[in-house]
Amino acid sequence: MTDTLTDVLVLRKDTHGVPTTEYADALRARLPENDVTLARTPGEERELIEDAEVVAGMVLDDSLVDYAAEMKVFACAYAGVGHLPLNKLREKGVTVTNASGVHGPNMGEHVLGNILTFARRFNRGFRQQQRREWRHYQTHELQGSTVTIVGLGPIGQAAAERLDAFGVETVGVRYTPEKGGPTDEVIGFDGDAFDDALARSDYVVLACPLTDETEGLIGRDELMTLPPHAVLVNVARGKVVDTDALVSALRSNTIRGAALDVTDPEPLPEDHPLWNLGNVQITPHNAGHTPEYYERLADIVAENVRRIDETGEYEGLRNQVQP
């Protein structure tokens, strides 16, 4: 064990409107002997980061890194780290971890809710309720459907596990299909396998990170490949889908519908046509919200801090993404 316990600094930006005081409290509960400090102002961030070895937060401005003389680990509170000054952190020898796994349960439930909404047409029922209209309408059955899940990280895996009870056939898409996964079939992005999966999918769930390879992954050709009754569910990033091609497909009934938690652009402008399409379900990038967010996040960070205190090493940490 190291001679002194590692100090932890929590930066001030919150997420989903939940104050970071709750995050700091969750870390203190798990690390009662460590010094866990919350920076409440920009000035406090600049001052306190000078001596902090482990810094936890949603974002880390490039300018703030200049003040971080002792920082050894930045524990990002998001799964994605593309918004961070990664090159600068690498140059300073800072290990970066992320929040992978924190969103699995809630986003898996969000995906399932979206699929059930389109299967049982709850959106149609809600509209009729608003009009106090008692009129039967036809629905669909989820059992026997084929669901393709693009991305088999914690979110895609959670969605697949929750779908397992509904008697559906699942196809997982990942860069390394040899790793397998909880879906009935696992394929890669290369060759005809991806197009073949789209052609037989009733639902396509996008749960992949935004990369050079996935940007624009679902465009005009892919939407035309889907069956006309297919529904697209996007909890990944808006840019994974070509928005203009999606609007065109939805207007022409090339596909049955779309459930979008993310859009491009985002936030979606008030005059955007997606708002007024009856076959679209929109949520404001809300799938990631869960009352357990900080608790799960604190589990990851506290485990890493204890490991650092025991070994004095800043490598091999849970959820390490850099270096």
Side-chain angles (χ1 to χ4, degrees):
M1 178 177 290
T2 56
D3 294 335
T4 58
L5 297 179
T6 302
D7 294 339
V8 181
L9 173 65
V10 179
L11 302 181
R12 61 195 166 93
K13 187 184 185 312
D14 61 29
T15 186
H16 297 296
V18 182
T20 46
T21 52
E22 295 188 15
Y23 185 19
D25 288 342
L27 283 169
R28 292 185 185 111
R30 290 158 174 78
L31 300 167
E33 298 182 4
N34 296 73
D35 185 9
V36 179
T37 306
L38 173 63
R40 300 175 184 272
T41 67
E44 286 186 356
E45 286 185 338
R46 291 190 293 270
E47 177 184 351
L48 295 172
I49 204 172
E50 290 182 2
D51 300 317
E53 295 175 77
V54 175
V55 180
M58 312 292 163
V59 297
L60 183 64
D61 291 339
D62 186 277
S63 59
L64 191 58
V65 177
D66 294 330
Y67 292 88
E70 304 296 330
M71 182 168 58
K72 301 295 191 299
V73 176
F74 180 69
C76 182
Y78 293 136
V81 296
H83 62 291
L84 300 177
L86 294 176
N87 289 336
K88 194 167 189 176
L89 290 170
R90 186 181 294 109
E91 291 170 1
K92 291 177 71 73
V94 176
T95 297
V96 177
T97 63
N98 69 3
S100 178
V102 169
H103 292 302
N106 50 288
M107 293 188 71
E109 292 171 3
H110 189 95
V111 167
L112 185 57
N114 282 157
I115 290 176
L116 287 172
T117 292
F118 275 91
R120 302 307 302 167
R121 300 186 70 190
F122 291 134
N123 49 352
R124 168 70 180 268
F126 178 75
R127 289 195 296 269
Q128 289 191 190
Q129 180 182 348
Q130 297 300 102
R131 299 192 296 264
R132 302 179 184 180
E133 178 184 344
W134 186 275
R135 182 160 62 92
H136 291 286
Y137 53 88
Q138 293 183 335
T139 65
H140 306 273
E141 194 170 283
L142 181 55
Q143 181 172 280
S145 299
T146 296
V147 182
T148 293
I149 303 172
V150 183
L152 284 183
I155 296 169
Q157 291 182 36
E161 290 162 359
R162 282 153 179 77
L163 283 164
D164 186 57
F166 287 84
V168 301
E169 184 77 14
T170 51
V171 180
V173 185
R174 66 188 314 172
Y175 289 116
T176 52
E178 62 273 10
K179 290 184 177 180
T183 51
D184 297 305
E185 180 183 350
V186 181
I187 63 172
F189 287 92
D190 299 330
D192 295 329
F194 182 56
D195 288 338
D196 290 342
L198 293 180
R200 54 191 165 98
S201 293
D202 302 288
Y203 299 88
V204 174
V205 177
L206 303 178
C208 53
L210 178 63
T211 65
D212 290 341
E213 290 77 16
T214 61
E215 184 171 351
L217 177 70
I218 303 298
R220 180 176 177 273
D221 287 345
E222 290 74 24
L223 291 166
M224 289 180 62
T225 302
L226 287 169
H229 61 267
V231 173
L232 181 71
V233 179
N234 190 5
V235 294
R237 286 293 184 268
K239 288 183 179 295
V240 175
V241 179
D242 181 326
T243 300
D244 290 341
L246 178 61
V247 170
S248 177
L250 290 165
R251 280 175 166 168
S252 63
N253 293 317
T254 300
I255 63 173
R256 179 159 62 95
L260 308 174
D261 188 58
V262 289
T263 59
D264 177 32
E266 187 175 309
L268 196 64
E270 292 183 8
D271 60 351
H272 199 281
L274 281 172
W275 286 115
N276 298 315
L277 295 177
N279 53 352
V280 178
Q281 173 74 32
I282 295 175
T283 48
H285 207 145
N286 211 56
H289 179 266
T290 168
E292 302 301 319
Y293 188 90
Y294 287 139
E295 295 295 322
R296 294 186 191 130
L297 191 58
D299 284 339
I300 296 170
V301 176
E303 178 183 325
N304 284 335
V305 171
R306 286 191 292 266
R307 179 184 177 90
I308 292 167
D309 287 340
E310 291 171 1
T311 67
E313 299 292 330
Y314 298 95
E315 292 292 322
L317 301 179
R318 180 179 172 187
N319 282 14
Q320 181 173 330
V321 294
Q322 181 179 295

